[in-house]
Amino acid sequence: MNPPAHARRPTTAIGISLIPGCLALAVFLSPAYGADRRPAPTRLPTDPGTPALIPAGPNAEALARTAQKEGESDKHSRANPTEAAPGANPPSNVDGNFLIGPIYKQASELTVSPGVPQGQIRQFSMDSTQSKFYPGIARNAPGRVDPNNPKTLIVETHPAGYTRTITVYIPSQYVPGTLAPFIVSHDGPRSGNPDLSLPHILDNMIAQRRVPAMAAIMIANGGGDAQGSERGLEYDTMSGKFAEFIETEVLPLVEKNCPVRLTKDPAGRATMGGSSGGAAALAMAWYHPEWYHRVISYSGTFVNQQWPFNPETPGGAWDFHETLIPHSDPKPIRLWMEVGDRDLLNPNVMRDNMHDWVAANNRMASVLKAKGYHYQYVFAVNAGHVDHAAREQTLPEALEWVWHGYPISPEGGR
């Protein structure tokens, strides 16, 4: 489905022009929402299972550093705050669990600033007939629970081709011929009525030398949502296949069709998504840490939505916090993640106790802390699934936090 009307913006600031192989357009992360999802109940920050949270605001950094020293994560969830300062974000230089909301303010970095150089936006298409990884599927009808395995659905599918749009942002500070750091964003745009949010943010933050002069590669999904869809196959499968598709088929075409070269350094590569796109972002880094070290997730689908069933990960992405992270040596992954207090709960027919997005993300924060990961967890009060207001407030801070430690040149790049 298309993003909500309030998430779309008029085309301004960056012109539209045709060149061989690329159409100049722009868009930001546009989560693909499943149809007919019922409103979820509010899960409070004081509910059992919620990690100890620090309210965003003037004292958040000091409180977070104290918590790291004194083991404040053991505090009971009943002691958690229920609100933060209006518009306040967590500090961008410290790990931990934070609370934001219920009042949100759009980040100033979304506004075009006079005198700030603006990057190029290019767009090209990929046809599924050219893909060795994803020729395309779609489901015939909604799935039904497998009576012999309640952890999966029986879904009938058929071949279904698609055209995938790739949108590329190239910062004005990019030096031709050099290797650029970059971020991959899932649920990228199709053509038409582009959203310039991410390019505006990057223009401002690169000029301020808060992030490196990175390219952004926004990849549209193959269509549909959840089990039996092309998008579900790409995003919810627990394997390295989607990262391999991007490495093998997408990135070479970016370099062929657009004037940019991309780094192979995993420290210079990030990946970002919302909902199942958030789970896909983590899967890319988890299964291929030699390619990606930095991850941003909004309302990550760390639940049991994998299809087809895989006995190696029978809980789908729920297994990230159930078995994979707890039972594996830490990987070189830096993870920023957010969840809303009204995030999804049991959006389909499955009732396996592995379809609560808030519980899943709470559990992720707990296991990441236990294993010593660099992570930042944001519990958003008065926020839904991939919440627009929460995202527009926090994305600049998320980008700055996730790129912490990466060298930035005096010109704004590396």
Side-chain angles (χ1 to χ4, degrees), residues 133-372:
F133 287 83
Y134 296 113
I137 64 167
R139 60 174 168 263
N140 299 339
R144 62 187 188 278
V145 177
D146 186 340
N148 298 315
N149 182 2
K151 290 185 176 182
T152 191
L153 297 181
I154 297 174
V155 185
E156 295 180 358
T157 64
H158 60 273
Y162 60 87
T163 299
R164 187 192 306 271
T165 300
I166 312 298
T167 303
V168 181
Y169 163 87
I170 305 168
S172 65
Q173 295 88 346
Y174 174 67
V175 178
T178 62
L179 298 177
F182 63 91
I183 185 168
V184 170
S185 178
H186 302 319
D187 285 316
R190 293 166 177 82
S191 60
N193 197 21
D195 183 332
L196 306 182
S197 302
L198 182 57
H200 288 341
I201 290 171
L202 291 178
D203 285 340
N204 285 315
M205 296 187 70
I206 291 168
Q208 295 164 2
R209 300 187 62 243
R210 294 164 58 194
V211 295
M214 74 184 83
I217 302 165
M218 294 162 272
I219 303 173
N221 65 69
D225 191 22
Q227 294 94 329
S229 72
E230 179 60 35
R231 179 179 185 267
L233 186 65
E234 295 167 6
Y235 290 0
D236 294 317
T237 298
M238 291 291 287
S239 75
K241 183 178 179 180
F242 190 57
E244 293 155 14
F245 158 71
I246 292 173
E247 193 73 17
T248 303
E249 297 188 354
V250 178
L251 299 185
L253 285 179
V254 170
E255 293 189 320
K256 177 181 178 181
N257 289 323
C258 302
V260 65
R261 294 181 63 204
L262 304 171
T263 185
K264 302 288 187 182
D265 178 6
R269 291 172 162 212
T271 180
M272 166 174 87
S275 192
S276 289
L282 178 56
M284 289 174 64
W286 181 265
Y287 289 103
H288 284 291
E290 76 278 16
W291 291 340
Y292 296 93
H293 283 181
R294 305 177 191 272
V295 178
I296 295 174
S297 168
Y298 281 91
S299 295
T301 299
F302 303 122
V303 304
N304 181 24
Q305 197 158 285
Q306 177 172 241
W307 183 91
F309 180 77
N310 182 352
E312 294 182 2
T313 48
W318 187 270
D319 282 356
F320 272 131
H321 45 88
E322 180 73 17
T323 58
L324 294 178
I325 295 173
H327 299 159
S328 301
D329 292 336
K331 299 194 177 191
I333 296 172
R334 186 175 179 86
L335 174 59
W336 187 99
M337 57 185 186
E338 176 271 353
V339 75
D341 62 349
R342 297 193 309 273
D343 227 299
L344 298 184
L345 175 67
N346 294 331
N348 61 27
V349 297
M350 298 183 75
R351 295 295 180 268
D352 56 4
N353 295 317
M354 292 187 286
H355 277 85
D356 184 336
W357 269 246
V358 177
N361 281 269
N362 283 340
R363 287 165 56 95
M364 284 288 294
S366 296
V367 299
L368 290 168
K369 183 174 182 62
K371 296 297 288 190

Side-chain angles (χ1 to χ4, degrees), residues 14 27 32 37 45-46 59 104 148 171 187 215 217 239 241 256 266 268 334 382-383 399:
I14 297 180
V27 77
R37 283 178 172 159
T46 53
N59 299 322
Y104 296 94
N148 298 315
D187 285 316
I217 302 165
S239 75
K241 183 178 179 180
K256 177 181 178 181
R334 186 175 179 86
N382 187 31
L399 287 163

